[in-house]
Every structure is written in structure tokens, then in C-alpha cells.
Amino acid sequence: NAGVTQTPKFQVLKTGQSMTLQCAQDMNHNSMYWYRQDPGMGLRLIYYSASEGTTDKGEVPNGYNVSRLNKREFSLRLESAAPSQTSVYFCASSERVGAPNQPQHFGDGTRLSIL
Amino acid sequence: QKEVEQNSGPLSVPEGAIASLNCTYSDRGSQSFFWYRQYSGKSPELIMFIYSNGDKEDGRFTAQLNKASQYVSLLIRDSQPSDSATYLCAVCLSSASKIIFGSGTRLSIRP
């Protein structure tokens, strides 16, 4: 009963390095999301994918790219990491965006530090 | 104006009392509303959702929605130390394109 699985759980990067955060869900959900959470800032939406084959920008997309590889997987890429991208990243999924009784299910998060 | 606003707290409530958490939103056409609980270092977990005006009760938790006032609240009765956490309000916008979270209210239940 895995739900939403994120890898890695922790990562330290140097400024300018690139990396991809992986997310997979086994609930057959249509929609997937990437959030970042900074102290006192709540969750801010980076990108989301309403359905397989589509992606859209959220509140804070600059510096990130995403790929909806298939229905299960949604990856987040940092092409050139910056210290301002130090944060906790959460992936989430839901049956579909906007359904009133369809909450999001979250992964355990990736704690990313950029030096 | 932020799309979803919450008082950051901390809100300190004695054990056994009622904790009242509030959230306001700016998009008048917002469709559905969620309350999540987040323990320190953990991921958010859903407590309740509501999409009709009025009250919705689930155990010790009651969600209240007033669309005219653009206000949603969460009441926790008989507060327990295990309720100490950050509570996040989330709103599905009228475009139904995305869900926006508030910054969260930190709740502390004192014995």
C-alpha cells in the first residue's frame, strides 16, 4: 500500500548542479502535483499535471521543469540549482483536479539543500 | 491579497477545550475546501473536506463553510496533545485548475 513514493528523501547539491526528483503513485490517479514548502510559507504549487500528457505552471514555476512520464510518474527537474531552491519538495496526486471530494495524497517529501 | 489566508499562530489551547482555526479565501467561485494536518517533519494528511455551505462533522472535527463571507473554519473539540500540529487550509479555485494552500496555523495543545 505505497501510495505516493518520492525519491530521493534527502539530497545536497552545489549551486549550478542539476537533478531530477522522482515521484510515482500507485492509486491510478489522473492528476499529480509538485509543491515546495519553506518555513512559514505553507505549500506553494510549482507545476501540476491534470492528466497524462498535460502539464501546467503553478505559483512558482521558475527554475523548474517537469515531465509526466506516464500515468504513474511525474518528475521535477532542477536544471541549474540555486540556493533559493533549498526547500522541502512534496509530490501529491488526486483522482482529478477540481473534484470537490477528491483530496490530494502526499508523498513523504524530499529535503533538498543547495550549497 | 493572498488567495488563501490563515493566521500563522501559534494558537495555544488548553487540553480538553475547543480549538478554532480559520481560513479566508479570495476567489468567490472556489468550489471545494480541505483541511490538512501536518506534524513537524512529516507530509500533510487530510482531515476533512467540505464543499457545501454549513457544517460538516467527523468525530471531534467540524468544518464550517460560509461562501458568502468566503470563510472556512475547523473546530477541534476535546483537544488532545496529539492535535498539536500545523493545520493547512486548501482551496480548489473556481477554474478547477489547481488547489492553493494557505501558509498554515500552528496549533499547540497545552496539558
Side-chain angles (χ1 to χ4, degrees):
Chain A
N1 207 15
V4 179
T5 302
Q6 291 183 234
T7 55
K9 295 191 184 306
F10 302 93
Q11 185 71 48
V12 179
L13 293 177
K14 294 181 179 178
T15 297
Q17 287 186 316
S18 62
M19 81 160 294
T20 300
L21 307 185
Q22 307 286 353
C23 176
Q25 52 92 9
D26 62 3
M27 294 173 283
N28 201 35
H29 284 165
N30 291 298
S31 303
M32 298 184 73
Y33 316 80
W34 276 105
Y35 292 91
R36 61 177 288 175
Q37 187 172 36
D38 303 302
M41 296 292 289
L43 290 162
R44 291 186 291 171
L45 183 64
I46 305 171
Y47 271 94
Y48 67 101
S49 171
S51 60
E52 186 178 356
T54 69
T55 61
D56 286 285
K57 295 179 180 180
E59 303 169 82
V60 289
N62 291 344
Y64 305 95
N65 286 303
V66 290
S67 295
R68 184 72 183 268
L69 304 170
N70 47 56
K71 191 172 185 180
R72 290 186 64 247
E73 299 173 287
F74 189 37
S75 63
L76 178 72
R77 183 163 178 82
L78 287 71
E79 290 291 351
S80 179
S84 61
Q85 294 178 306
T86 293
S87 189
V88 180
Y89 291 84
F90 286 102
C91 177
S93 71
S94 67
E95 173 59 31
R96 60 182 176 90
V97 180
N101 61 342
Q102 294 297 329
Q104 297 177 324
H105 299 262
F106 286 83
D108 290 337
T110 295
R111 283 148 184 80
L112 181 62
S113 293
I114 316 296
L115 304 178
Chain B
Q1 181 185 7
K2 290 184 179 179
E3 291 177 288
V4 181
E5 295 207 55
Q6 296 180 255
N7 188 322
S8 62
L11 176 65
S12 181
V13 173
E15 186 175 354
I18 296 175
S20 178
L21 304 162
N22 305 315
C23 174
T24 59
Y25 58 95
S26 60
D27 181 356
R28 183 169 288 279
S30 295
Q31 301 178 3
S32 50
F33 309 85
F34 305 88
W35 282 101
Y36 287 82
R37 177 176 61 199
Q38 186 176 27
Y39 293 113
S40 181
K42 301 296 186 182
S43 58
E45 55 180 331
L46 180 73
I47 299 175
M48 294 188 71
F49 66 87
I50 185 168
Y51 50 89
S52 299
N53 271 330
D55 295 359
K56 179 181 179 183
E57 186 174 321
D58 184 1
R60 295 188 296 113
F61 299 95
T62 299
Q64 299 175 317
L65 175 61
N66 183 327
K67 290 186 177 181
S69 299
Q70 295 174 236
Y71 177 95
V72 58
S73 64
L74 179 70
L75 301 178
I76 306 174
R77 290 182 300 280
D78 188 23
S79 296
Q80 303 296 310
S82 59
D83 295 326
S84 296
T86 295
Y87 289 80
L88 300 166
C89 171
V91 176
C92 183
L93 302 182
S94 58
S95 62
S97 61
K98 54 191 176 186
I99 295 175
I100 301 297
F101 282 77
S103 57
T105 298
R106 191 153 52 93
L107 174 65
S108 176
I109 306 300
R110 58 181 189 269

